Amino acid sequence: MSEEITFLRNVPIFSDLEDKDLLRIVKLGVRQKYKKGNIVVLEQESGAALFVIITGKVKVVRTDEDGREVILSMFGPGEFFGEMSLLDGLARSASVVATVKSELFMIHRRDFLQLLEEYPQVAISLLAELAMRLRKADMQIKSLSLKDAAGRVANVLLMLSDDLGVFRKGKVEIEDLPLQQDIANMAGTSRETVSRMIHHFIRNSEVDLKGNKLTINDYESFRKKYL
Ligand code: CMP
């Protein structure tokens, strides 16, 4: 039980709560394991629960009739998803898929809404996170409508840095960079263009790529140049 409390304390929307409250939430939720590729939430279904990531990683995707997919966001440990349909009562706005083996903590709709009523600090943290996600979505809209290919790919790398990156001495490292096709779907371009742009950044010494690990060598100047 104490292991779960520790995990919940590191979840930003719950971090202000006292141990007794965290313990209550632990008892409300259930842990569920997902394999790589498992669908956790399906677009258009009705929403019955909120999920918090204990370990692993997920992607938020929307697909069109031809099965083409656009990735809206990626989440890692401590982050939550599935709140939108709980809050507005409409269908799931997107699908959420585990991209690696993951363990999630699931809270049912009624319990989650009850928590928001009882703990205003949780509701306020949730709103702050939603504001942050809206800012990111605004960035994506700007990037997709105004930027050239280099700008769009750079913006996706910046978004991945914020979601998954490890910041150290002005650099940011993204372990397990998503597939180039996934980056292309996020950037609204082709896989070939993503490959070309990443090599362009490497030639400019803006980025290093070793295996699956991408490093942005000077995060601030990369951000200033392309955002
Ligand atoms: P819900 O609509 O219940 O189910 C899908 C979830 O994906 C949604 O709640 C959010 O948690 C998440 N989601 C949908 N769109 C975005 C987005 N643009 N950015 C980040 N997360 C999103």
Side-chain angles (χ1 to χ4, degrees):
M1 198 60 85
S2 68
E3 183 209 329
E4 263 125 335
I5 290 190
T6 310
F7 146 68
L8 280 182
R9 199 179 288 109
N10 293 325
V11 174
I13 55 166
F14 297 133
S15 58
D16 288 341
L17 297 180
E18 291 176 19
D19 276 4
K20 67 172 178 18
D21 303 317
L22 292 174
L23 191 59
R24 207 181 128 210
I25 298 175
V26 165
K27 287 182 185 156
L28 286 178
V30 286
R31 298 171 78 128
Q32 287 184 332
K33 291 193 168 140
Y34 293 84
K35 292 191 189 127
K36 179 178 173 171
N38 279 172
I39 296 172
V40 184
V41 156
L42 192 59
E43 187 179 339
Q44 290 308 330
E45 281 195 344
S46 65
L50 171 95
F51 297 85
V52 181
I53 304 174
I54 302 175
T55 57
K57 220 184 295 175
V58 302
K59 60 179 178 181
V60 178
V61 297
R62 289 194 71 152
T63 27
D64 68 9
E65 311 78 54
D66 303 329
R68 280 181 309 182
E69 157 181 296
V70 56
I71 300 180
L72 301 173
S73 194
M74 303 189 93
F75 294 128
E79 294 185 292
F80 65 84
F81 59 88
E83 77 296 342
M84 286 172 60
S85 57
L86 304 193
L87 293 170
D88 66 14
L90 300 177
R92 293 292 193 194
S93 59
S95 296
V96 183
V97 180
T99 57
V100 295
K101 195 171 116 195
S102 302
E103 189 173 14
L104 308 180
F105 183 75
M106 184 181 92
I107 306 176
H108 285 289
R109 175 168 208 261
R110 204 194 43 224
D111 295 327
F112 172 63
L113 296 178
Q114 178 79 30
L115 286 178
L116 294 183
E117 282 190 23
E118 275 182 52
Y119 303 110
Q121 66 271 49
V122 174
I124 291 170
S125 304
L126 180 90
L127 287 172
E129 176 59 28
L130 294 185
M132 181 85 86
R133 290 182 187 178
L134 188 54
R135 282 177 189 274
K136 271 192 199 154
D138 288 352
M139 247 173 68
Q140 272 172 300
I141 292 169
K142 176 180 163 190
S143 166
L144 288 172
S145 45
L146 301 178
K147 305 269 180 199
D148 59 11
R152 296 212 297 270
V153 174
N155 266 263
V156 171
L157 297 182
L158 287 166
M159 198 177 82
L160 290 170
S161 301
D162 294 340
D163 286 348
L164 310 169
V166 177
F167 289 76
R168 206 176 292 136
K169 295 185 184 157
K171 294 176 184 244
V172 55
E173 290 176 358
I174 307 168
E175 299 274 357
D176 299 329
L177 189 72
L179 297 175
Q180 291 196 347
Q181 185 59 58
D182 287 343
I183 295 176
N185 293 346
M186 286 188 257
T189 187
S190 66
R191 196 198 59 74
E192 291 74 17
T193 302
V194 170
S195 172
R196 209 156 30 83
M197 288 307 141
I198 289 181
H199 283 99
H200 166 77
F201 299 144
I202 293 172
R203 272 198 308 279
N204 284 354
S205 306
E206 293 172 307
V207 151
D208 278 335
L209 184 63
K210 287 204 179 72
N212 239 1
K213 183 170 88 177
L214 182 130
T215 306
I216 299 178
N217 291 323
D218 183 344
Y219 175 78
E220 275 313 319
S221 61
F222 193 75
R223 192 181 166 84
K224 221 180 258 166
K225 181 167 173 188
Y226 292 107
L227 200 64

